[in-house]
Amino acid sequence: MVNAIIDGRAVSVQAGTTILDAARSAGIPIPHLCYLKGINEIAACRMCVVEVEGIERLVTACDNVVLEGMVISTNSPRVRRARRTNLRLLLSPHDTSCTTCIRSGNCELQTLSQELNIHYQPYAVKPERSRIDLDAPLIREAGKCIKCMRCVQICDKVQGMHIWDVAGTGSRTTVDVSFNRLLKNTDCTYCGQCVTHCPTGALTARDDTNAVFRALEDPNITTVIQVAPAVRVAWAESFGLDPAFATTGRMVAALRRVGFDYVFDTNFTADLTIMEEGSEFLHRFTHRDQYAWPMFTSCCPGWVRFVKGQFPAYTDNLSTAKSPQQMFGAMAKSYFAQRKGIDPHRMFVVSVMPCISKKSECRLPTMADACGDPDVDVVLTTRELGRLLRSEHIVPADLPEESFDSPLGSGTGAAVIFGATGGVMDAALRSAYFLVTGRNPDPDAFAEVRGDKPWKEATYTIPGAGEVRVAVVSGLGNTRHLMEALEKGRAEYDFVEVMACPGGCAGGGGQPIHEGEELAAERGARLWQLDADAPVRFSHENPDVQALYREFLGAPLGEKSHHLLHTDHRGWSLPVFRREE
C-alpha cells in the first residue's frame, strides 16, 4: 500500500494505482474524455491533469501512479486554468451546434464545458468537414470528433475489427475509416460499440424516426411495432425511471400514445425462433454426416456479418433460421395481415431493437419473403425510442400499465432471455430436450451457459440424443478467439451461440449511453429474473405459437415455415477488401 494526500484527504491505495483511480476511491472526481480503463489510457485529452507538490509540470492522472507521500491537488486554480485552455483547444475544431446534435444533454464534452464555466471561445472555430454516408446505419461526423481514439481502441482491442484508424498528418490528423474507405464498403459489423463509447456525437446510429412519423401520419397505413427483449430493461433509463417502475406495460402504453395501431412483443417470435432453430439443430444432430459442425445461432446480424467477412468458410454452419426481428416481420405481413384483412403492402412494420446492426439486417434482399416488400420497414434503437417518446411529449411516469396486442404479443421466460448472453442457448436447450424426450427439463438445468464470462462451455446429455457440447461467446474479439480455436482443432462443439456485443443484446450498440458505466450485466440480470418469474418458461408451451403452427405454418421446418422463417445466408455479399502486404 502507498499513502498520499489528495485534496487534503489521506488516501491509502495499492501500489500501482493511478491517481485517477485513487481519487475516485476517495470520492473525488477527476474529469476526463479519452480514458477507458484497460482500453484507452493514452492521456491524449489532457483533461485529467492534476498538480503534484514538488513536480513543476502538471501531470495526467489517468496514466501516472500514486507514489508514497504524494500531495495532489485535483482542482487548484492552476489546474482549472490548464483544463479550460485544453478544452478550448479541443473545441476549436469542433462543431458546437449542440441544439441539433443527438448527444446534446448526454455529451461529455458539453458537460465539461459547463463544469469549467466556458462561455466564450477565444480561438477561431474551424470544424473538420464531414463525409456523411447515410447508406450505412452508423454515422460519423468528423466535425464532432475530438480524436480521443476511443473508437479505434474499442474496435481494435475489444471487437478486433480494425475499422477505424488515424488518417492524415500534422494539423490534418483525424480519425476515419481505415484505408480511406466509406463505411458501407467495409466489413464493419455495425455492432455500435464505438458509438456507445464515443464521448461526443461524432459517432451515432442513423436516425430513422422521421420515417416512422411519416408512416404514423398516413391514415392509409397500418402501423405495427415490435419491441425486443433487451429493450424492456433499458427503455426508461433516459427518463430516469426506477427499473421496478419502468415496466413493460408502461412501455406498451407509451407506444400506444404515440399512435401505433398494434403493439407487439418480439418475445413471440423469439419463441418461434426456438421452435425452428431447435428443430433444425436436432435434425442436423441426428444427420451429422450431412452437415458441417458446429451449428451456430443466427439471431445476431453483427455476428452473421462477422462470420461472412472474417471466417466465410463457416457460413454454412449458421442456422438458416431468421432472427426474431425478421420472423416477426414475415408473420406480421402474412399470418397477421390475413387474420385482420389488412393489405400487407399498406402495413408498416417498425422494430425497436438494442442494436444498430438490425438496421442493416432489415434491408437485406433475403428479408422480403411475406409479400415482396421488406418484412421489417424500419428499425429504431432504444435511444431512438426515447427520442420518439419525447417528440410526442409522452411522460412515462404518468402512464398506466397496458398489455401487448394479440396474437403476436405473447412470450415466455425462454424468449425474454434472448437479450442476455447465453439466453438463446438456454432457451434452445430447454425445448430441444422436450422435442427429443417429450418431457420438460428443469428450466434451470442449463445454468452453465449463463453469467458474464465472455466464453462459456458445457456438455449436456439429452436422453435419446446423446451428449451435446455447447459454447456461448459474446464480443467479437472473444468470438475471434473461439473461431481460431475451431479452425486449429483446439475446440469442438455441436452448438454455439454468438452475440457480437459484450454481454449480449443487453449491452447492444443501440442501448442508452451512460458515460463510464457498462450496464450489460445489470440489464442481463433483470432479464434472467423476468424469466425466473415467468408463468411459462418453455418456448414450445407458448399457446399462441402452438396456434400459429396449427392454423398457418403447419410444423417447424415445414414448407411454409421454411419459406417465411428461414433464409439463405449466401444470398447477399459483403464488400471485398484486400489489404496490400
Side-chain angles (χ1 to χ4, degrees):
M1 304 296 288
V2 293
N3 302 289
I5 303 295
I6 303 179
D7 290 349
R9 304 182 200 178
V11 176
S12 182
V13 294
Q14 288 279 353
T17 302
T18 64
I19 295 172
L20 182 66
D21 285 340
R24 183 180 292 154
S25 71
I28 301 171
I30 296 178
H32 53 84
L33 281 171
C34 64
Y35 176 78
L36 286 175
K37 188 175 180 63
I39 298 171
N40 197 41
E41 299 175 336
I42 58 176
C45 69
R46 319 302 289 181
M47 295 309 302
C48 68
V49 292
V50 296
E51 192 170 5
V52 178
E53 193 174 287
I55 298 179
E56 181 180 353
R57 297 180 179 179
L58 297 179
V59 301
T60 48
C62 70
D63 67 341
N64 282 283
V65 299
V66 177
L67 300 178
E68 181 66 33
M70 267 188 173
V71 178
I72 303 164
S73 296
T74 71
N75 201 34
S76 66
R78 183 185 175 196
V79 166
R80 288 198 300 272
R81 285 194 298 271
R83 286 179 184 158
R84 278 197 292 268
T85 298
N86 292 342
L87 189 55
R88 285 186 173 118
L89 289 169
L90 286 173
L91 289 168
S92 63
H94 190 79
D95 180 356
T96 52
S97 304
C98 295
T99 54
T100 55
C101 180
I102 282 177
R103 289 293 298 273
S104 183
N106 185 22
C107 169
E108 284 303 293
L109 192 66
Q110 189 182 61
T111 299
L112 282 179
S113 296
Q114 293 168 353
E115 290 179 355
L116 290 171
N117 203 32
I118 292 180
H119 299 301
Y120 74 95
Q121 171 61 288
Y123 307 117
V125 177
K126 297 179 180 179
E128 182 181 345
R129 293 180 62 184
S130 293
R131 181 177 60 173
I132 298 175
D133 178 14
L134 293 176
D135 288 336
L138 197 154
I139 305 298
R140 179 178 182 271
E141 294 185 61
K144 296 176 182 177
C145 177
I146 60 170
K147 286 78 172 175
C148 69
M149 301 287 288
R150 282 190 184 186
C151 58
V152 177
Q153 302 280 40
I154 283 287
C155 196
D156 287 0
K157 293 181 179 179
V158 176
Q159 298 297 72
M161 289 302 296
H162 310 288
I163 298 298
W164 304 106
D165 203 354
V166 175
T169 58
S171 62
R172 296 182 298 277
T173 300
T174 188
V175 174
D176 204 348
V177 180
S178 57
F179 305 107
N180 199 33
R181 298 170 291 172
L182 290 174
L183 191 61
K184 66 182 178 183
N185 296 332
T186 72
D187 56 355
C188 176
T189 65
Y190 305 127
C191 69
Q193 291 302 303
C194 57
V195 175
T196 58
H197 290 85
C198 177
T200 70
L203 288 167
T204 60
R206 185 187 64 229
D207 188 278
D208 291 320
T209 54
N210 285 333
V212 175
F213 280 126
R214 287 193 294 270
L216 289 167
E217 293 164 3
D218 190 335
N220 297 314
I221 291 179
T222 299
T223 53
V224 175
I225 190 166
Q226 60 166 320
V227 185
V231 173
R232 71 204 62 218
V233 292
W235 72 277
E237 288 175 2
S238 61
F239 292 92
L241 295 183
D242 181 85
F245 182 83
T247 60
T248 303
R250 287 191 172 85
M251 178 184 67
V252 172
L255 291 169
R256 288 216 176 91
R257 300 303 185 278
V258 170
F260 289 99
D261 296 309
Y262 297 97
V263 181
F264 291 124
D265 194 348
T266 312
N267 278 6
F268 175 83
T269 39
D271 282 330
L272 191 60
T273 299
I274 290 301
M275 296 304 296
E276 293 296 323
E277 193 170 76
S279 298
E280 180 185 10
F281 173 71
L282 288 176
H283 173 76
R284 293 193 188 195
F285 195 69
T286 54
H287 299 78
R288 292 190 64 90
D289 59 331
Q290 299 177 25
Y291 296 95
W293 293 93
M295 187 178 105
F296 295 115
T297 58
S298 55
C299 300
C300 173
W303 148 243
V304 173
R305 288 181 64 89
F306 176 86
V307 75
K308 282 176 65 71
Q310 304 290 310
F311 297 89
Y314 284 86
T315 299
D316 291 335
N317 294 56
L318 289 164
S319 165
T320 62
K322 292 179 180 178
S323 69
Q325 165 181 278
Q326 295 304 138
M327 284 194 183
F328 178 90
M331 289 298 94
K333 291 189 176 181
S334 59
Y335 172 65
F336 183 71
Q338 289 179 26
R339 281 191 56 159
K340 294 293 184 179
I342 301 171
D343 180 357
H345 299 292
R346 292 187 175 276
M347 180 181 284
F348 193 84
V349 176
V350 180
S351 300
V352 183
M353 296 284 140
C355 176
I356 295 175
S357 195
K358 291 286 184 184
K359 290 175 178 280
S360 173
E361 180 187 43
C362 76
R363 292 189 174 187
L364 294 176
T366 53
M367 298 297 177
D369 295 319
C371 66
D373 296 340
D375 294 331
V376 173
D377 295 283
V378 164
V379 174
L380 301 181
T381 63
T382 312
R383 295 192 296 273
E384 285 172 281
L385 172 60
R387 294 199 291 274
L388 191 76
L389 298 184
R390 282 195 166 84
S391 295
E392 290 295 296
H393 301 158
I394 306 294
V395 182
D398 295 341
L399 297 175
E401 294 192 64
E402 298 179 8
S403 299
F404 286 107
D405 288 305
S406 181
L408 307 185
S410 62
T412 67
V416 78
I417 54 177
F418 264 57
T421 178
V424 177
M425 179 62 69
D426 197 312
L429 290 171
R430 294 180 200 181
S431 287
Y433 189 102
F434 172 81
L435 292 172
V436 171
T437 67
R439 63 181 187 275
N440 287 336
D442 179 340
D444 297 310
F446 309 106
E448 289 90 346
V449 301
R450 305 177 186 179
D452 303 329
K453 188 178 178 182
W455 180 353
K456 301 177 281 285
E457 301 172 315
T459 300
Y460 297 105
T461 300
I462 299 180
E467 287 192 343
V468 180
R469 300 161 299 176
V470 302
V472 170
V473 64
S474 71
L476 292 177
N478 301 317
T479 301
R480 187 180 298 279
H481 295 320
L482 181 145
M483 296 301 294
E484 289 172 348
L486 287 173
E487 280 191 325
K488 295 174 182 177
R490 296 198 306 264
E492 289 187 24
Y493 306 112
D494 300 304
F495 197 10
V496 179
E497 177 206 302
V498 183
M499 294 291 178
C501 294
C505 303
Q511 294 282 63
I513 298 170
H514 303 277
E515 175 61 28
E517 294 184 81
E518 302 288 351
L519 296 179
E522 181 182 321
R523 294 168 184 153
R526 295 207 296 273
L527 292 171
W528 287 109
Q529 188 59 51
L530 288 172
D531 166 45
D533 296 339
V536 180
R537 300 184 66 189
F538 298 93
S539 294
H540 56 269
E541 291 184 351
N542 184 324
D544 289 326
V545 169
Q546 293 172 348
L548 175 64
Y549 279 110
R550 242 183 357 257
E551 300 169 6
F552 185 70
L553 291 175
L557 305 185
E559 182 178 351
K560 187 171 284 188
S561 296
H562 191 270
H563 172 67
L564 292 170
L565 305 180
H566 292 255
T567 188
D568 177 10
H569 294 295
R570 293 193 179 275
W572 55 278
S573 301
L574 283 169
V576 177
F577 174 76
R578 295 285 181 266
R579 178 180 176 179
E580 294 183 6
E581 296 297 335

